[in-house]
């Protein structure tokens, strides 16, 4: 069995397209078709159903995906052992919310780059539903979500953490030192929130709806750094994860409101597709993330 045919099979299965696999591998589409046909003939089974220019994995095709990944992983492990001592290299595409991207770049990127200078990273910002769609189409290597807890059998949760969230405002706000506030006490105040329908904002709005409440913010923007700078200057209010606001609260530039009747579980999850080929660079990145707390 040709290893290159298995690698081609993995790419076609991940991308769901002979054409996209050909583009990614630098082959012609006819070469891709020939290699898959060779593999099917050798195994004596159909791996893809081809209907109206679309392809889907057959049951045997699904079975082969996990075996093909294991074979490729063992091959790469052997190659890595031959190159022991050489620097780890590769490219990683990570998709995150704006706030996570900012946090990782500001606090971790330089350290990661110093340790692994030959690994390049591309950050893309997207909503949770788009992130999972990108995983399904192999357009992202790994995602980090800020949302309700997610679990599906097609994804691997490499790391997860329940976040602390607070309503936050400027130190001069009339609510700053009041204890045991209700959400109804502040519902009509000017709010600055992240974009509607995305991530933890979506979970927040659903919780408000359960209480027959709704907030119409005076400003919606994905950049949490802009949100914190705006609310620090006045009496506007926002709802943000503590890793975004912690430093400014400790410096007295922001303060947390004591809201006693809103308890929302927001999770930060590091996720990749179960069928994703784990390159050495991707394994290195995941291990690096696992070795520090998300909220540092």
């Amino acid at each position: 069995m040709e290893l290159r045919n298995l690698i081609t099979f993995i790419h076609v299965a991940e991308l769901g397209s002979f054409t996209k696999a050909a583009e990614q591998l630098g082959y012609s589409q006819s070469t891709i078709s020939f290699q898959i046909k060779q593999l099917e003939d050798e195994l004596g089974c159909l791996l893809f159903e081809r209907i109206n220019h679309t392809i889907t994995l057959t049951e045997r095709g699904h079975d082969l995906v996990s075996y093909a990944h294991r074979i490729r992983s063992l091959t790469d492990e052997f190659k890595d052992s031959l190159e022991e001592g050489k620097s780890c290299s590769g490219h990683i595409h990570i998709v995150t919310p704006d706030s996570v991207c900012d946090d990782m770049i500001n606090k971790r990127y330089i350290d990661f780059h110093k340790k692994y200078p030959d690994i390049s990273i591309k950050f893309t910002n997207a909503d949770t539903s788009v992130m999972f769609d990108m995983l399904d189409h192999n357009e992202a290597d790994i995602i980090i979500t800020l949302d309700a807890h997610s679990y599906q059998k097609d994804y691997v949760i490499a790391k997860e953490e329940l976040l602390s969230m607070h309503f936050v405002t400027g130190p001069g706000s009339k609510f700053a030192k009041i204890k045991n506030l209700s959400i109804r006490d502040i519902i009509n105040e000017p709010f600055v929130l992240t974009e509607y329908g995305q991530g933890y904002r979506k979970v927040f709005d659903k919780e408000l709806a359960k209480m027959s409440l709704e907030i119409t913010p005076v400003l919606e923007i994905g950049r949490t750094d802009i949100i914190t700078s705006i609310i620090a200057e006045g009496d506007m209010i926002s709802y943000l994860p503590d890793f975004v606001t912690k430093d400014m609260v400790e410096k007295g530039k922001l303060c947390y409101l004591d809201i006693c009747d809103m308890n929302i579980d927001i999770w930060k999850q590091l996720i990749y597709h179960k069928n994703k080929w784990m390159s050495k660079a991707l394994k290195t990145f995941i291990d690096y993330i696992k070795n520090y707390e998300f909220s540092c």
Side-chain angles (χ1 to χ4, degrees):
M1 186 180 299
E2 292 276 356
L3 179 61
R4 65 179 180 179
N5 290 353
L6 278 177
I7 291 174
T8 295
F9 168 76
I10 289 171
H11 279 79
V12 174
E14 287 182 344
L15 296 170
S17 167
F18 280 41
T19 302
K20 290 181 179 178
E23 292 172 354
Q24 194 168 96
L25 292 169
Y27 296 154
S28 67
Q29 188 169 335
S30 60
T31 299
I32 297 292
S33 299
F34 177 74
Q35 290 178 344
I36 296 300
K37 183 65 167 57
Q38 271 192 324
L39 194 57
E40 289 178 328
D41 289 344
E42 187 172 3
L43 294 173
C45 64
L46 194 66
L47 299 173
F48 295 98
E49 290 183 328
R50 302 157 176 86
I51 302 173
N52 294 329
H53 303 292
T54 63
I55 62 167
T56 56
L57 282 166
T58 62
E59 184 177 350
R60 289 298 186 188
H62 279 289
D63 291 340
L64 181 60
V65 168
S66 60
Y67 286 104
H69 276 287
R70 283 156 61 185
I71 292 169
R72 183 171 183 176
S73 180
L74 287 170
T75 303
D76 287 339
E77 185 178 333
F78 177 69
K79 288 180 179 178
D80 288 343
S81 70
L82 295 178
E83 298 178 356
E84 193 170 343
K86 293 184 179 180
S87 62
C88 180
S89 63
H91 180 74
I92 299 166
H93 184 193
I94 175 171
V95 186
T96 72
D98 284 301
S99 54
V100 173
C101 179
D102 291 345
D103 188 59
M104 293 184 71
I105 289 175
N106 291 332
K107 294 185 177 180
R108 294 292 169 181
Y109 175 71
I110 296 301
D111 179 64
F112 181 84
H113 178 68
K114 286 179 179 178
K115 288 181 170 67
Y116 310 104
D118 295 321
I119 298 179
S120 62
I121 299 177
K122 175 184 177 181
F123 280 98
T124 300
N125 299 138
D127 180 43
T128 305
S129 61
V130 176
M131 291 184 196
F132 282 109
D133 186 63
M134 294 178 75
L135 282 186
D136 290 339
H137 291 86
N138 199 33
E139 295 171 355
D141 295 313
I142 198 161
I143 65 174
I144 297 179
T145 65
L146 295 182
D147 211 317
H149 191 273
S150 176
Y151 173 76
Q152 296 182 45
K153 61 182 179 63
D154 288 336
Y155 308 113
V156 177
I157 300 172
K159 184 170 182 176
E160 62 182 8
E161 177 187 0
L162 181 62
L163 294 182
S164 294
M165 303 280 298
H166 278 93
F167 289 90
V168 62
T169 188
S173 168
K174 60 185 177 183
F175 297 104
K177 296 181 180 180
I178 300 177
K179 299 297 182 182
N180 298 317
L181 287 165
S182 165
I183 182 64
R184 289 176 172 81
D185 293 327
I186 63 170
I187 195 72
N188 294 317
E189 298 299 315
F191 270 80
V192 181
L193 297 174
T194 51
E195 294 164 290
Y196 177 78
Q198 297 195 14
Y200 55 83
R201 167 72 191 279
K202 176 176 60 180
V203 182
F204 174 52
D205 285 340
K206 284 183 178 180
E207 192 65 24
L208 287 174
K210 291 178 184 177
M211 305 170 72
S212 299
L213 297 174
E214 182 180 3
I215 288 175
T216 302
V218 296
L219 176 64
E220 293 176 286
I221 186 170
R223 292 278 301 276
T224 53
D225 57 331
I226 294 177
I227 293 176
T228 53
S229 66
I230 289 173
I231 63 176
E233 298 301 321
D235 58 359
M236 295 183 182
I237 298 171
S238 190
Y239 184 68
L240 296 168
D242 288 2
F243 75 85
V244 171
T245 58
K246 181 181 177 182
D247 289 346
M248 292 184 72
V249 170
E250 290 177 350
K251 293 175 182 178
K253 296 180 179 180
L254 294 173
C255 66
Y256 293 142
L257 296 181
D258 185 28
I259 307 298
C260 59
D261 55 355
M262 283 287 287
N263 296 305
I264 304 174
D265 286 343
I266 303 296
W267 289 80
K268 183 183 283 191
Q269 294 181 288
L270 182 72
I271 300 172
Y272 60 90
H273 199 283
K274 70 175 184 180
N275 292 331
K276 179 66 183 175
W277 172 62
M278 298 296 290
S279 66
K280 185 177 180 181
L282 185 55
K283 289 179 184 176
T284 298
F285 178 80
I286 291 173
D287 288 343
Y288 179 88
I289 296 297
K290 283 183 176 179
N291 286 330
Y292 79 90
E293 292 298 324
F294 274 157
S295 300
C296 284

